[in-house]
Amino acid sequence: MTAGPYSAKVMEHFMNPRNVGEIDGADGVGEVGNPACGDMMRLYLRIEEGRVKDAKFRTFGCGAAIASSSMLTEMIKGKTVEEARAVTNLQVAEALDGLPAVKIHCSVMAEQAVKSALDDYAKKHPG
Amino acid sequence: MRKVYFDHNATTPVHPEVAAAVQPFLGGSFGNPSSIHWAGRDVRKAVEDAREEMAAFYGCRPLEVVLTSSGTEADNLALKGVAYLEGNAGKHIVTSQVEHPAIINTCRFLETQGFRVTYVPVNRQGIVDPESVREALAADTILVSIMAANNETGCLMPIGEIGEIAKGAGILVHTDAVQATGKIPLPWETLPVDLLTFSGHKINGLKGAGGLLVRKGLELSPVVHGGHQERGRRGGTENVVGIVGMGTAFSLLRKNMDAEVAQVRGLRDTFERALFDRIPDLVLNGHPTKRLPNTVNLSFRYVEGEALLLNLDMLGIACSSGSACTSGSMEASPILLAMGADPTDAQGALRFSLGLGNTEEDVSYSVDAVERVVAKLRAMSPLYHPREAM
């Protein structure tokens, strides 16, 4: 099902987002975006033995922002910290079968959220 | 799936009587209304009959009706037509910050052509203060253009008072009445305006036809130069189908407007009350009473408008976030920001505009749907779940 400017994949993730919520005592939390500008994402990570064991999110934003958040959590689960940090916004957009040009910033927000959450993890777990 | 159309400020369904009335002009009646032979004569009569319906609705003279392709073209004609009037020395125009893009962007263009434009603000409830118009007037002001009703909030502007102020200073007055027409009385005889814009497809007519009322005796420079059509004020062979359809739409309004307005107002009020009863943290964008009877614009705090709109679309409900022209951009509605709305709340605004054909079932179905969708999106909103101190 496509709607407006979005691919079927975006709509599927938007209507049925994966991994919504939070993680109690998360190992890393990232918060990026600005609601006054239309979107904001908070990402919670559980890290075990150097791998992303679990990821959950809460997002304020448009269809593309919510779909990007959902897709991102699916992509990073099981990845090593280094692999998760290497995920790019274009990979998120590609996994969603593309985003409209004006919505690319939503995938950028997802990429920034992982980096922010992993920075938080590194700060809490030095060495 | 049930389909509910709550976007009548964007466009309206074509009335069946309009569709029937234009049929001959899609077939045998094909002539050019400017032709003097048999093929043109009947078509000319149909165009002039339609013009008379429009004139009868507003209470103006048929020769005061200039037909255009759209409300946007009529707005262009009003502003540029006055600005470029031969011998016009003035270079200043007064409008408001919440006008339709057809006015705002025409003013922006005129600013590149040596004109100055003052965009007066609105109050927190979205209404222009007539005193701010008075203060904006300059020695060389040539035109005041203030909409009769706002497309996004439905707010009614005090065009009577504003018109009196401008006319008292000898300045021409235009009002964009695209949204107001068919919803509030606009008696041309007593209204202190010289120019008034309307559009056919907002009143159950066809897209591609609009018009400008031009007070008798007022000269305008044409924007579309061409033949002698519309008494030299707008060149181009007439859009006969659109004009005939618009004439029928106006004749239906003359018969049915009061009853339709009462019905739509009842449905809108029920819808609005039910939403406020059932959903916490709602903000009304606009004035509680000085508002079109069919429009309600609400901010659903903690969630974003496009996400709401898409979810409602999936449930068959058509409404609008921001104005249709800006929904491809990330900016919050400039109209809500001009009203001083909280920028985050402005991102979560939806406009519901009701109209002919809506029912009580539409309202109850939509209230349930909106409640469900708002709850779903709030459950995933970081703003609804503030981060605990870490």
Side-chain angles (χ1 to χ4, degrees):
Chain A
M1 172 170 46
T2 58
Y6 295 132
S7 70
K9 196 87 167 264
V10 171
M11 283 308 291
E12 207 275 311
H13 271 264
F14 168 59
M15 294 302 289
N16 308 291
R18 281 63 147 175
N19 307 310
V20 172
E22 50 195 86
I23 297 173
D24 277 340
D27 299 301
V29 182
E31 191 171 274
V32 293
N34 177 355
C37 301
D39 47 27
M40 175 183 167
M41 175 178 180
R42 191 190 302 145
L43 178 67
Y44 299 85
L45 298 180
R46 164 86 62 228
I47 312 276
E48 284 177 14
E49 294 167 7
R51 281 186 186 274
V52 178
K53 176 82 176 161
D54 197 8
K56 293 211 182 291
F57 78 93
R58 282 215 164 90
T59 290
F60 166 90
C62 64
I66 289 168
S68 295
S69 305
S70 168
M71 178 55 83
L72 174 89
T73 56
E74 290 283 272
M75 288 169 72
I76 59 174
K77 278 211 251 179
K79 281 194 162 57
T80 66
V81 166
E82 292 72 28
E83 288 165 347
R85 190 178 276 282
V87 168
T88 67
N89 80 294
L90 289 177
Q91 289 167 339
V92 174
E94 244 166 58
L96 288 167
D97 293 341
L99 285 173
V102 294
K103 300 286 190 180
I104 286 295
H105 70 98
C106 296
S107 59
V108 173
M109 182 172 75
E111 178 190 321
Q112 289 170 340
V114 193
K115 294 191 162 70
S116 163
L118 289 173
D119 287 348
D120 183 50
Y121 169 72
K123 208 165 62 190
K124 288 176 182 163
H125 301 80
Chain B
M1 184 174 59
R2 190 180 188 94
K3 289 213 167 165
V4 177
Y5 189 74
F6 276 180
D7 203 11
H8 289 81
N9 289 10
T11 194
T12 56
V14 176
H15 195 289
E17 288 189 36
V18 169
V22 304
Q23 284 308 311
F25 304 93
L26 300 170
S29 295
F30 63 88
N32 186 324
S34 295
S35 300
I36 55 170
H37 50 59
W38 59 266
R41 275 196 300 273
D42 285 356
V43 179
R44 166 58 57 202
K45 180 170 187 316
V47 166
E48 295 314 316
D49 286 351
R51 193 190 308 274
E52 279 181 27
E53 290 293 350
M54 301 167 209
F57 174 81
Y58 289 106
C60 67
R61 298 172 178 82
L63 64 82
E64 292 177 307
V65 179
V66 179
L67 298 167
T68 66
S69 67
S70 60
T72 292
E73 189 196 323
D75 281 345
N76 270 264
L77 177 57
L79 268 56
K80 294 176 189 166
V82 169
Y84 289 123
L85 205 56
E86 208 176 328
N88 191 350
K91 290 283 178 193
H92 182 238
I93 293 168
V94 176
T95 186
S96 85
Q97 292 176 359
V98 300
E99 298 297 313
H100 188 273
I103 295 291
I104 296 280
N105 289 331
T106 303
C107 285
R108 297 249 184 269
F109 167 75
L110 288 171
E111 285 180 285
T112 70
Q113 305 297 304
F115 292 88
R116 298 172 355 265
V117 181
T118 303
Y119 303 87
V120 299
V122 291
N123 64 19
R124 187 65 187 85
Q125 290 168 322
I127 295 180
V128 171
D129 178 358
E131 285 311 308
S132 65
V133 172
R134 189 197 301 278
E135 286 160 21
L137 298 180
D140 64 342
T141 306
I142 51 173
L143 181 67
V144 171
S145 177
I146 303 288
M147 66 202 332
N150 183 267
N151 45 310
E152 280 189 36
T153 61
C155 281
L156 302 178
M157 304 302 175
I159 52 168
E161 282 173 74
I162 290 167
E164 295 297 349
I165 288 169
K167 297 201 83 59
I171 295 163
L172 294 173
V173 184
H174 167 247
T175 191
D176 179 337
V178 165
Q179 296 294 347
T181 291
K183 298 178 194 135
I184 60 167
L186 293 163
W188 182 246
E189 203 179 306
T190 52
L191 215 54
V193 307
D194 305 284
L195 300 147
L196 181 149
T197 294
F198 60 91
S199 169
H201 76 101
K202 308 285 195 195
I203 56 167
N204 305 102
L206 301 172
K207 290 152 193 74
L212 183 68
L213 302 189
V214 181
R215 185 85 54 192
K216 185 168 182 278
L218 172 58
E219 301 265 343
L220 279 185
S221 166
V223 170
V224 179
H225 295 89
H228 55 82
Q229 293 91 353
E230 302 303 304
R231 297 171 177 259
R233 294 172 292 189
R234 198 272 186 182
T237 298
E238 294 85 343
N239 170 9
V240 174
V241 170
I243 291 165
V244 169
M246 189 158 63
T248 305
F250 272 104
S251 106
L252 289 164
L253 274 186
R254 283 176 67 205
K255 273 188 288 194
N256 307 329
M257 178 172 143
D258 290 351
E260 281 171 20
V261 163
Q263 205 238 350
V264 167
R265 183 190 296 279
L267 292 175
R268 191 275 315 262
D269 288 350
T270 304
F271 179 65
E272 186 174 326
R273 258 197 309 274
L275 290 178
F276 272 97
D277 282 349
R278 286 165 55 175
I279 304 176
D281 295 325
L282 274 195
V283 181
L284 174 69
N285 297 311
H287 195 280
T289 56
K290 290 174 185 166
R291 185 150 48 103
L292 289 174
N294 77 319
T295 306
V296 56
N297 187 314
L298 297 167
S299 281
F300 297 84
R301 300 191 68 199
Y302 316 120
V303 298
E304 192 272 344
E306 190 212 81
L308 284 167
L309 185 130
L310 282 172
N311 268 285
L312 291 174
D313 182 21
M314 292 295 114
L315 296 170
I317 299 166
C319 61
S320 168
S321 70
S323 82
C325 314
T326 59
S327 59
S329 84
M330 300 299 109
E331 302 287 312
S333 153
I335 289 169
L336 300 188
L337 295 179
M339 290 164 61
D342 174 87
T344 302
D345 287 352
Q347 296 281 359
L350 280 190
R351 176 189 72 187
F352 302 92
S353 48
L354 283 62
L356 203 58
N358 286 144
T359 63
E360 285 177 27
E361 290 72 32
D362 288 344
V363 167
S364 56
Y365 174 79
S366 301
V367 170
D368 288 345
V370 173
E371 186 183 28
R372 259 197 341 268
V373 165
V374 170
K376 174 187 171 186
L377 290 172
R378 282 182 177 169
M380 63 176 98
S381 169
L383 305 177
Y384 196 62
H385 300 269
R387 192 172 171 180
E388 288 166 31
M390 306 194 74

